Amino acid sequence: MDKIQASTEKFAKLIEQQLKRVEALKQETEFIDYQKLPTIVIGICGGDGIGPVITHCAENVLRFLLKEEVASGKIQFKEIAGLTIENRIKAVKAIPDDVLEELKSCHIILKGPTTTPDANYQGPNIESANVAMRRELRLFANVRPVRVPEQGIDWTFFRENTEGAYTLGSCGFDVDEDLAFDFTVTTTQGTNNIARLAFEYAKNNGKNRVSIVTKANIIKATDGKFLRLCKEMAKEYPGITVDDWYIDIMTAKLIDEKRRRDFQVFILPNLYGDIITDEAAEFQGGVGTAGSSNIGMRYAMFEAIHGSAPRMVQEGRAQYADPCSMLRAAALLLKHIGYVDRAEKLERALDFCTKEERAVVITGREGGATSEQFGEYVMRVIEKMA
């Protein structure tokens, strides 16, 4: 009976925390207008492993594209150190307090990959910095585009970012040596936020199909609520065709050459979105080629979708890491703060610089280009554009 009582008390505290989070969500109803700000502060946070290398490359390209705005004071870059695994373990926090304050002093964050110790790690239980940042800054939407024009692929994934199976990912517990629990969470406010953003994107970008992906036939309470709320939201967008899929069959349909061309915009809970966007990224060259946006009402963070590649660091190859993921993230950042023309220039340059006949080739090893050299190549290509 003591086990049940102790577990009940732990669960009660989690419910209390989530109810407070819901109240905070109710207070945020409008997005910030970056162009109305006198200065947009962009935080540069390198992270771990290859993160500082590829983030520095992307920062150089951003500074090149925004040099007039930097000179006028409209754009300010702020370097944020300290989000390393060593500092996080020392502080026994996913994000050390001083680093979190620095992040909150920015409007936009360009973030390199961070390392999360797995379940076999013998030290303190350190939560994912990504999960913590999304929660602390209320970055409710993870937006990941995947484009392969020659295959008819033009997908945009809207992954709910602060709920689902990840929001309490470090809060599960062992009841005893035989039984462990983890949790998944769905709120009305969180689901409505991600659904609204996805449908608005579809409406404003000429997309006529939105696909909702869950496992609502099995996970009936949380996934069922997510599906029901998304379908309710769809009624406000009569010009858009809406369908729903279970996550297992959707992973199959993305590799179905006939069906995959039909998909355009996806809405997914957190865990499914994480998995399926990695699968989708393989079509355009792998997770190293894909960037992602993390969007909230007040803050936004842009990152690669891959990890920190500690093996490359251990083998002395970090300087040869492919920066394309961070450069794609930089293009998403530019769009988000209103510099669409420069974002499109960067995307066109990346499309050109990653073709087979490119002059500078990233191999990940000595003999190939370094991340810095590739960034310089991208800037040279942009300079030549009309």
Side-chain angles (χ1 to χ4, degrees):
M1 202 58 190
D2 289 343
K3 295 177 187 176
I4 296 175
Q5 182 62 37
S7 299
T8 301
E9 289 172 4
K10 289 178 181 177
F11 190 35
K13 287 180 182 177
L14 294 178
I15 294 172
E16 225 174 275
Q17 292 167 6
Q18 290 305 302
L19 288 172
K20 286 181 182 176
R21 188 175 69 85
V22 167
E23 290 307 309
L25 285 173
K26 290 178 180 178
Q27 304 308 310
E28 291 191 333
T29 57
E30 292 187 11
F31 286 97
I32 192 170
D33 186 341
Y34 296 101
Q35 287 302 311
K36 289 182 179 178
L37 296 173
T39 301
I40 303 170
V41 181
I42 301 175
I44 304 295
C45 191
D48 291 315
I50 63 170
V53 173
I54 61 176
T55 306
H56 179 67
C57 171
E59 179 186 1
N60 285 344
V61 174
L62 281 175
R63 286 180 178 274
F64 169 75
L65 286 164
L66 295 169
K67 55 192 169 190
E68 292 177 8
E69 287 75 15
V70 171
S72 71
K74 178 65 178 177
I75 298 288
Q76 176 186 331
F77 286 91
K78 181 175 183 177
E79 307 292 333
I80 301 175
L83 199 63
T84 63
I85 188 61
E86 294 81 10
N87 282 352
R88 292 160 55 216
I89 288 173
K90 185 178 178 181
V92 196
K93 288 192 171 182
I95 305 175
D97 291 340
D98 58 335
V99 178
L100 182 59
E101 286 308 305
E102 286 197 81
L103 291 169
K104 287 183 174 180
S105 71
C106 303
H107 301 107
I108 300 291
I109 298 151
L110 182 69
K111 178 193 153 295
T114 49
T115 301
T116 303
D118 64 22
N120 295 318
Y121 175 65
Q122 297 302 306
N125 179 19
I126 304 296
E127 183 185 28
S128 160
N130 271 12
V131 172
M133 194 180 298
R134 290 163 183 165
R135 182 180 64 245
E136 292 290 341
L137 304 184
R138 291 194 280 281
L139 306 175
F140 64 84
N142 185 253
V143 185
R144 295 181 174 180
V146 172
R147 289 173 51 250
V148 190
E150 62 271 22
Q151 294 185 34
I153 292 173
D154 187 1
W155 300 328
T156 306
F157 296 87
F158 285 79
R159 165 193 169 193
E160 202 295 317
N161 221 10
T162 57
E163 301 187 353
Y166 285 5
T167 189
L168 299 176
S170 297
C171 299
F173 53 82
D174 295 316
V175 175
D176 59 22
E177 63 182 14
D178 298 314
L179 180 62
F181 274 93
D182 273 308
F183 303 95
T184 187
V185 173
T186 297
T187 70
T188 298
Q189 292 72 24
T191 305
N192 282 343
N193 280 346
I194 192 69
R196 175 75 68 193
L197 197 67
F199 280 109
E200 283 293 309
Y201 171 85
K203 183 182 77 171
N204 295 331
N205 289 273
K207 309 296 182 183
N208 57 21
R209 182 171 181 174
V210 171
S211 302
I212 308 162
V213 184
T214 67
K215 193 63 178 171
N217 59 329
I218 304 296
I219 306 177
K220 297 183 186 294
T222 50
D223 277 25
K225 181 180 181 71
F226 189 94
L227 177 58
R228 185 172 66 255
L229 290 171
C230 288
K231 283 189 169 182
E232 192 65 28
M233 182 73 68
K235 294 176 183 177
E236 300 180 30
Y237 299 85
I240 296 173
T241 299
V242 177
D243 53 12
D244 66 275
W245 297 78
Y246 298 135
I247 180 62
D248 44 356
I249 193 64
M250 178 53 77
T251 60
K253 290 305 169 189
L254 286 192
I255 60 173
D256 182 334
E257 292 185 13
K258 293 180 180 177
R259 295 303 302 273
R260 68 186 182 209
R261 294 169 180 263
D262 297 337
F263 298 115
Q264 296 177 348
V265 176
F266 303 80
I267 313 175
L268 315 91
N270 208 335
L271 174 61
Y272 311 144
D274 189 11
I275 294 168
I276 208 166
T277 51
D278 280 8
E279 179 195 20
E282 284 297 310
F283 289 100
Q284 68 176 21
V287 294
T289 67
S292 70
S293 312
N294 297 267
I295 308 298
M297 301 289 183
R298 169 68 177 79
Y299 299 99
M301 180 264 282
F302 300 83
E303 62 178 343
I305 72 169
H306 58 70
S308 57
R311 182 177 296 175
M312 288 191 75
V313 178
Q314 292 163 9
E315 295 176 357
R317 297 187 289 114
Q319 68 270 33
Y320 298 105
D322 188 339
C324 284
S325 54
M326 288 303 290
L327 291 168
R328 296 281 181 191
L332 295 171
L333 184 158
L334 289 167
K335 284 183 183 177
H336 188 70
I337 60 176
Y339 298 103
V340 176
D341 57 336
R342 272 160 278 189
E344 290 174 348
K345 273 189 175 182
L346 177 52
E347 287 176 337
R348 292 202 313 273
L350 286 169
D351 288 344
F352 176 84
C353 293
T354 53
K355 287 181 178 176
E356 288 187 9
E357 64 271 20
R358 59 194 183 274
V360 175
V361 179
I362 289 276
T363 65
R365 298 184 178 277
E366 191 174 351
T370 64
S371 181
E372 184 175 0
Q373 288 168 338
F374 186 82
E376 291 169 353
Y377 177 41
V378 169
M379 287 185 277
R380 290 198 302 272
V381 169
I382 292 172
E383 277 185 322
K384 294 176 182 177
M385 288 181 176

